[in-house]
Amino acid sequence: SDVYKRQFKYCSFSSAKVVIFGQDPYFQRGFANGLAFSVNKNQTVPASLRNIYKEIENDIGYVSNKDGCLENWAKQGVLMLNSSLTVEHGKAGAHVDRGWERFTDAVIAQLNSARNNVVFVLWGRKAQQKGAGIDPKRHKIIKSVHPSPFSASNGFFGSKPFSKANEYLTNHNISPIKWQL
């Protein structure tokens, strides 16, 4: 998908410091931009991303960029990868179990085995299932409920994933992410 060329354009395999999993791209026309949880500029910021911004503010301080586009994170080494890389307009999950999972599982397996000290952020049950094989002795795994409005109050808010990720990176002499951009 052309949308996903953006992901690897900004964050290569060798530059990935943090991996955030999503489920599938936003199904509204013009929203998805190839980065999980991110949307194109000048789009309405989805509720899950608004909750992510709230947690950043509560965890590490004010967010200066709230337009919904997370390219700045990708450029710093945050791989925002959905399990499924395409979706049908208006039908969330329409392309689940169509083969994308083999590719994204291979990306995770390769990061797990070929790299050290990567932070894996697993929001929600599906992301945690996808990351079940990650070696916690080689990598940092941060888990919580999904940031969706249906679950954010049950453990996402207050989970402090951004400061935890940066603390781990800093402790391993890796430059932290500027999450507030």
Side-chain angles (χ1 to χ4, degrees):
S1 166
D2 289 339
V3 165
Y4 273 84
K5 290 179 183 176
R6 176 180 286 172
Q7 175 63 260
F8 298 105
K9 171 184 174 184
Y10 293 136
C11 183
S12 68
F13 180 85
S14 61
S15 68
K17 302 184 230 181
V18 177
V19 179
I20 298 175
F21 295 120
Q23 186 171 336
D24 57 0
Y26 295 115
F27 60 84
Q28 299 92 337
R29 193 172 310 283
F31 271 58
N33 68 3
L35 310 173
F37 295 102
S38 181
V39 294
N40 287 316
K41 292 181 180 181
N42 302 316
Q43 293 294 340
T44 302
V45 177
S48 292
L49 184 52
R50 283 195 310 271
N51 286 340
I52 291 168
Y53 285 155
K54 286 179 190 176
E55 180 59 19
I56 291 171
E57 288 183 27
N58 292 332
D59 187 4
I60 57 177
Y62 179 74
V63 177
S64 59
N65 174 20
K66 292 187 182 180
D67 70 5
C69 184
L70 303 177
E71 287 178 5
N72 286 323
W73 290 3
K75 290 175 183 177
Q76 296 177 73
V78 180
L79 180 65
M80 292 166 276
L81 186 64
N82 281 316
S83 293
S84 181
L85 304 186
T86 58
V87 70
E88 205 171 313
H89 173 69
K91 296 181 182 177
H95 292 181
V96 171
D97 295 327
R98 295 246 181 121
W100 284 120
E101 292 81 3
R102 287 192 307 258
F103 171 75
T104 55
D105 287 348
V107 170
I108 294 163
Q110 195 62 21
L111 282 167
N112 182 48
S113 65
R115 300 279 312 281
N116 288 310
N117 304 318
V118 174
V119 177
F120 289 88
V121 180
L122 310 176
W123 290 329
R125 181 180 45 82
K126 291 184 180 188
Q128 290 167 22
Q129 290 170 342
K130 191 150 186 81
I134 298 167
D135 184 351
K137 294 177 183 163
R138 296 179 67 175
H139 305 287
K140 174 73 172 173
I141 301 170
I142 299 172
K143 297 179 185 180
S144 78
V145 300
H146 194 276
S148 97
F150 302 110
S151 57
S153 295
N154 295 324
F156 177 73
F157 291 133
S159 64
K160 301 188 180 294
F162 308 101
S163 61
K164 288 176 183 177
N166 279 351
E167 179 182 9
Y168 180 85
L169 294 172
T170 301
N171 288 342
H172 289 86
N173 297 315
I174 301 168
S175 60
I177 304 299
K178 295 176 185 170
W179 298 106
Q180 296 150 302
L181 296 177

